[in-house]
Each structure stands twice: as structure tokens, then as C-alpha cells.
Amino acid sequence: QSVSESGARSTLARFGWVTLDGVRGCLSHLLRMHSGPFRCECGQMHFGEFQGHSNDLLPYIDTEGVCALNESVAGACRSIFKPFEQRLERNHFVESEEDDPQLLIHIPFTCPVNIRSLMVLGGHDGETPSDLRAFVNHEALDFADAEALPAVQQWDIAPADPTGTLEYPTQFTRFKNVTRLSLFVADNHGAPQTRIYYIGLKGTGIEYKREAIKNVVYELKPTPETNPLQEHGSARIG
């Protein structure tokens, strides 16, 4: 973790609190505040293990709209977006065409989302992605675009994650109000094909709800054309 006991002691010393219990209490509180591998308001990058289905963006993914370029079986990419508890299952996967490790996966959302981190579980023997790049809110993106345009962020993916707990943080300010995420697998760890069993996205959804206005009393302002009393009064004054 980024928060150390010495750092906590320094913070407490500024306020005159230097007891060991106070240091430990402050440290525990800070760790609870900063759980999760992302750059938070304190300016530090915090790393840790994937915290299960908490803040899982799966409910906000338009699964039917997910598509991939260079997948060997059309539509297979939709099967890798599944509940966190099923991440280690190996029944379904997306695989690139033979002798071409690249994949370009487009992920639309049902509402804008803020993405804090992602998880990728790939195949064995070098089939896991090694170079993963993200693009945000591109309606049309092909391999030529992905090679030419600067990615919003790029990750070096580990060759293996047997327990399914490695999480890759995003540069959070660049992943706000995302309606479409494109993930470009530029290369893998040496296999002729890339295989992915699971992709998990963590963050928050921004749901906009419009509710009907209730219990509103409308007041009509009378005009001479609609107010006979005012017309009568004007006639008497005249």
C-alpha cells in the first residue's frame, strides 16, 4: 500500500499526536479510504487485488452490442463479459485469427460510466495479451486507427493470472463519461493466436433518470381578452 506507518506518523506529528495507537488508527483509516488500485484525490496510486463484484460495470455493458475485429468466431467476444464469480471458467473465450495475435474489441455502455480499473484473463502458453491499449468514445475505430492514434492509456499485461485477482488501474480522469470503450490487443506473449476468457471493468455508472413533475399547481395570468371583469371595469372608467 502507498500509505506507510511513517507517513501516518508524520501526519499525526503535525497536529501533536504521536502515540503508537494513534498512528495505527490513522493508518487503518487511510487504508480503508484508499482501497483499490487507482489514483485518488490524495494524489497517490493505490494498488491491490480486484474487490469482486463491487462496482462491477457488467450491468452497464450493452452485451449485445459488443463486437470485435479479427475474432476467429463472430460474436464470441460477448461471452467474455460475465459475472466476476465466473471469471475462471474456461468454457467460453474469444480468440484471434490464426497467425495474427491482434484483436480490437468495442464495448458500448447503456449509460455513461466512469472506469477505474480493468482485469484481463487470457490463455496459456503465450496467448494472454501483452500490449493492451484503450480508446474512449470512438464510434468507428479500425486497426489502422488504433495503430495511428494515441491511446488514452496503455498497459503491459502479465503473462498469467491464475487466481484472477490482478487489476490494472486507469488514469481515472481520462475515463470519465465513457459511452464506448475500445480495447486494442496489439500483441501477446509470443503465441500465434490471442485468447481471452474474461474482461472485467470496475467503476461507476451515471444513470440519468427523468421523472414526471408531480403536485404542481399552475396559475394562469388573466388577460383583457379572457377576463370579463377587467373589460367591464375598463368600460366603466371610460
Side-chain angles (χ1 to χ4, degrees), residues 77-195:
C77 57
R78 302 185 187 111
S79 66
I80 65 176
F81 297 93
K82 52 192 175 184
F84 176 79
E85 293 77 9
Q86 301 175 16
R87 69 193 184 283
L88 298 180
E89 295 181 1
R90 294 294 185 261
N91 299 328
H92 302 285
F93 56 86
V94 61
E95 192 173 48
S96 66
E97 292 283 2
E98 190 174 354
D99 296 325
D100 187 353
Q102 293 191 335
L103 280 170
L104 183 56
I105 304 173
H106 297 295
I107 310 161
F109 298 94
T110 58
C111 69
V113 298
N114 300 329
I115 305 173
R116 289 193 177 277
S117 58
L118 60 83
M119 171 184 284
V120 179
L121 298 181
H124 304 290
D125 301 324
E127 294 176 328
T128 296
S130 62
D131 182 351
L132 184 66
R133 308 174 193 180
F135 300 85
V136 168
N137 296 341
H138 286 270
E139 288 301 322
L141 189 78
D142 57 21
F143 284 109
D145 296 327
E147 292 280 8
L149 296 174
V152 174
Q153 188 169 348
Q154 182 175 354
W155 297 271
D156 294 323
I157 305 299
D161 180 14
T163 59
T165 53
L166 289 180
E167 188 180 28
Y168 299 89
T170 66
Q171 297 175 9
F172 185 56
T173 56
R174 297 185 176 186
F175 288 82
K176 290 186 175 182
N177 294 308
V178 178
T179 57
R180 186 179 179 89
L181 176 68
S182 298
L183 295 177
F184 174 41
V185 179
D187 204 354
N188 61 20
H189 289 275
Q193 291 175 282
T194 293
R195 179 177 292 193

Side-chain angles (χ1 to χ4, degrees), residues 53-74:
H53 62 275
S54 177
N55 297 323
D56 192 345
L57 289 176
L58 179 61
Y60 300 101
I61 296 176
D62 178 9
T63 308
E64 292 300 315
V66 172
C67 61
L69 302 182
N70 200 43
E71 60 180 348
S72 59
V73 178

